[in-house]
Amino acid sequence: MENEQVYSVSQVNLYIKNMFTREHVLNNIYIKGEVSNCKYHSSGHIYFTLKDGKGQMACVMFAGQRSGLSFRMSEGQSIIVLGSISVYERDGKYQLYARQIFLDGLGALYERYEQLKRELQKEGLFDSSHKKPIPFYNNRIGIVTASTGAAIHDIQTISARRNPYAQLILYPAKVQGEHAAETIVEGICRLQKENVDVIIVGRGGGSIEDLWAFNEEIVARAIYSCKVPVISAVGHETDTTIADYVADLRAPTPSAAAELAVCEIREVQSGLEISRVQMAYLLKRKITQNREQIERYKLKLELLSPAYQLRQKKQYLVDCEERMRELMKLKLQRKKHQLAVYMERMRGLSPLEKLQSGYGFVTDSKGGVVRSVKEISIGDEITISLSDGDMKAIVEQKRARRR
Amino acid sequence: MAKAKSLEDYMEELEKIMNDLEREDLALEEAFKLYHNGMKVLKSCNDAIDKVEKKLIVLEEE
């Protein structure tokens, strides 16, 4: 005992649970059986037992998975459950956690659906690289659906409202029952020859069997090889058929398909009007720009013209003359002023002024100015000029004196 | 048979013409040409819309 490891119950339960989890087969398994002891719990979970002649298994479908169940389960129904098997640790019991539950019979259909989907996907029929864009403006719209029924009516109504000028072309196909798939394929082929811009393939809602034609391989291949873009519109939002996977665009309903295929003509027309106005504006602007450019060139040219240059030079000459005149005037004024100053000074220095104050001016007989007694001899005749006249005199005596 | 131009082709052309018209260095003469072209394309657009209300055509089985 001492050397043996001892485990708790929950440890073992967890260990076993992990074993289940690692087993891939148990995580995604379809199990067929009969419903018994089914309880819809108020929480939204469904508890039931799946059994066959030899055994039984506890099952639960949680509220979050309820979208995988499209009918009301009841006692004794033969069903197929898709889910995973795991251990409920608290009770130490394993049970089936259901994700999808089908009525048996339908189960076979689903299997075919799943298998075809896998095959086609592998083959690349769903590749987004192959999908063609849906043109914005479609003039001719091909429709493959029943000529009676809500689908064509809805498409017609919406198309007429959005763009009454769009041409709808219907290929009345059988959308359920025997040979439905063949007529759908035929419709796709025929419409391609009608030079349509886009094809809507679809029908209104129905049971899985009703929609089955859109899960057929020939339909998938016809859509895939169609040269014209195809919009699928099968059933309601929640039904996804093989055709939806292959189509270039999947619309949740026929009405939505019409919205996608038919553009709003008023938008197109107002867009065209905007283009027209825009173009006129751009051209006008271009003209204005050119005009302005011409004005600029004109101005430049005028500045460069000989006439302008001449005028410029003449003006310069006039300016020069004006300046010279000004300068001359200034100079003259200055000189006049100077002259007046000189005259004032001259007046101060004049000999006549001196004579007035009793001085005399002596000249010899030859008229030369006598500045020194040395220049004169006794008996020389001299002239003495006073302010009011001259006198002649003879020198009688002379004596040098230092002053 | 060469497929006639779709409205989308025309609209693309219009877009291009307008982009060109917006260019600063575009000669006036070119601008006139572009404008002229643009008006033609606009007309083609309107022609493409073919304003006749259409009735549903139901194909007969061959």
Side-chain angles (χ1 to χ4, degrees):
Chain A
M1 264 300 271
E2 275 156 30
N3 294 328
E4 298 296 325
Q5 170 92 47
V6 178
Y7 298 97
S8 69
V9 171
S10 51
Q11 274 176 325
V12 174
N13 276 347
L14 183 64
Y15 177 77
I16 292 173
K17 183 180 178 164
N18 285 338
M19 283 175 72
F20 274 82
T21 313
R22 275 198 297 275
E23 198 63 48
H24 286 296
V25 179
L26 295 182
N27 282 316
N28 202 37
I29 191 167
Y30 288 93
I31 303 174
K32 184 173 161 173
E34 200 175 285
V35 181
S36 98
N37 212 8
C38 180
K39 286 191 197 89
Y40 278 69
H41 195 266
S42 60
S43 61
H45 308 325
I46 307 168
Y47 301 93
F48 59 100
T49 304
L50 200 59
K51 64 174 188 185
D52 60 16
K54 289 178 191 140
Q56 61 178 40
M57 184 186 288
C59 300
V60 59
M61 180 176 240
F62 290 126
Q65 305 287 339
R66 283 286 292 275
S67 59
L69 173 65
S70 56
F71 60 96
R72 177 96 192 168
M73 274 200 292
S74 55
E75 211 62 25
Q77 269 175 343
S78 182
I79 60 166
I80 292 172
V81 180
L82 166 64
S84 56
I85 294 173
S86 188
V87 172
Y88 183 42
E89 289 167 69
R90 206 191 68 188
D91 292 357
K93 284 179 183 163
Y94 74 84
Q95 56 182 351
L96 173 58
Y97 294 88
R99 288 198 297 275
Q100 282 181 297
I101 302 172
F102 316 115
L103 273 171
D104 195 13
L106 281 183
L109 273 185
Y110 263 101
E111 264 206 272
R112 260 168 65 198
Y113 168 85
E114 286 291 341
Q115 192 178 348
L116 182 62
K117 192 174 133 190
R118 272 198 299 276
E119 277 174 22
L120 297 182
Q121 182 153 33
K122 213 168 147 195
E123 214 184 300
L125 263 71
F126 306 160
D127 285 0
S128 54
S129 61
H130 182 264
K131 296 200 185 300
K132 294 177 278 295
I134 308 301
F136 166 73
Y137 187 82
N138 299 301
N139 232 343
R140 289 167 72 78
I141 295 146
I143 303 155
V144 180
T145 192
S147 57
T148 56
I152 184 63
H153 179 257
D154 291 350
I155 292 171
Q156 268 186 292
T157 310
I158 283 162
S159 176
R161 193 187 68 215
R162 290 172 70 86
N163 180 7
Y165 314 134
Q167 176 67 66
L168 301 184
I169 302 162
L170 171 69
Y171 182 89
K174 268 183 79 177
V175 291
Q176 66 190 73
E178 236 179 300
H179 304 303
E182 282 86 347
T183 69
I184 293 166
V185 171
E186 175 61 21
I188 293 169
C189 292
R190 276 290 303 282
L191 284 170
Q192 279 186 83
K193 292 180 202 145
E194 290 294 327
N195 206 14
V196 294
D197 302 312
V198 64
I199 297 176
I200 299 172
V201 178
R203 57 155 290 152
S207 69
I208 174 153
E209 290 102 328
D210 290 343
L211 306 184
W212 196 255
F214 295 90
N215 285 324
E216 296 277 5
E217 187 172 349
I218 53 167
V219 172
R221 293 201 181 279
I223 292 173
Y224 183 75
S225 55
C226 182
K227 300 276 184 290
V228 177
V230 174
I231 302 175
S232 70
V234 183
H236 299 306
E237 182 113 37
T238 49
D239 311 316
T240 307
T241 61
I242 302 272
D244 290 320
Y245 288 113
V246 190
D248 296 301
L249 183 64
R250 185 211 167 188
T253 60
S255 299
E259 304 259 356
L260 292 165
V262 183
C263 70
E264 190 69 64
I265 191 70
R266 273 161 303 195
E267 273 170 33
V268 174
Q269 282 169 333
S270 66
L272 289 177
E273 179 58 19
I274 288 167
S275 292
R276 196 185 64 72
V277 171
Q278 177 79 351
M279 279 202 305
Y281 162 74
L282 287 173
L283 184 66
K284 221 171 176 175
R285 196 176 70 176
K286 196 89 223 166
I287 292 170
T288 314
Q289 275 170 0
N290 277 272
R291 267 206 190 119
E292 281 166 1
Q293 185 67 42
I294 288 169
E295 275 307 308
R296 278 197 293 277
Y297 282 146
K298 200 174 134 197
L299 210 66
K300 216 166 164 183
L301 210 60
E302 263 170 22
L303 289 180
L304 291 170
S305 85
Y308 179 81
Q309 301 271 325
L310 268 180
R311 262 210 309 282
Q312 253 339 65
K313 286 186 173 130
K314 260 189 205 155
Q315 182 63 46
Y316 180 70
L317 288 181
V318 169
D319 289 350
C320 283
E321 197 187 322
E322 194 69 20
R323 249 181 81 211
M324 268 164 34
R325 230 187 270 280
E326 281 297 314
L327 282 172
M328 235 14 242
K329 216 162 125 193
L330 208 69
K331 203 131 242 173
L332 274 173
Q333 251 165 12
R334 211 176 287 153
K335 290 289 170 200
K336 261 189 202 157
H337 184 68
Q338 215 169 12
L339 197 62
V341 173
Y342 280 146
M343 270 163 74
E344 203 54 41
R345 272 175 69 192
M346 286 285 278
R347 205 184 334 260
L349 294 170
S350 165
L352 289 174
E353 292 279 313
K354 287 190 173 133
L355 297 183
Q356 293 278 356
S357 39
Y359 292 93
F361 179 64
V362 181
T363 46
D364 60 18
S365 55
K366 294 176 197 99
V369 177
V370 179
R371 290 189 180 82
S372 163
V373 289
K374 286 171 195 157
E375 290 167 19
I376 293 294
S377 310
I378 304 294
D380 280 355
E381 190 187 85
I382 56 168
T383 307
I384 302 165
S385 304
L386 296 177
S387 69
D388 56 349
D390 302 336
M391 299 178 294
K392 284 208 195 304
I394 306 291
V395 178
E396 288 180 352
Q397 224 183 343
K398 68 171 192 174
R399 186 172 57 234
R401 192 185 294 176
R402 182 168 301 271
R403 288 194 216 272
Chain B
M1 182 187 90
K3 206 180 172 220
K5 277 192 191 170
S6 71
L7 188 69
E8 285 150 311
D9 296 333
Y10 286 132
M11 282 177 169
E12 218 168 279
E13 258 180 76
L14 270 180
E15 197 63 38
K16 202 189 160 306
I17 286 171
M18 282 191 283
N19 281 339
D20 285 348
L21 266 174
E22 271 169 359
R23 267 173 34 215
E24 293 284 334
D25 58 341
L26 183 73
L28 185 62
E29 201 162 321
E30 280 298 305
F32 268 114
K33 253 189 237 162
L34 278 174
Y35 179 76
H36 207 74
N37 249 340
M39 289 322 246
K40 265 198 255 172
V41 174
L42 265 179
K43 188 179 175 308
S44 306
C45 285
N46 280 312
D47 290 350
I49 289 173
D50 179 18
K51 295 184 209 140
V52 178
E53 299 223 5
K54 309 292 198 307
K55 291 220 168 62
L56 178 73
I57 295 177
V58 180
L59 295 177
E60 300 291 323
E61 279 192 52
E62 274 173 339

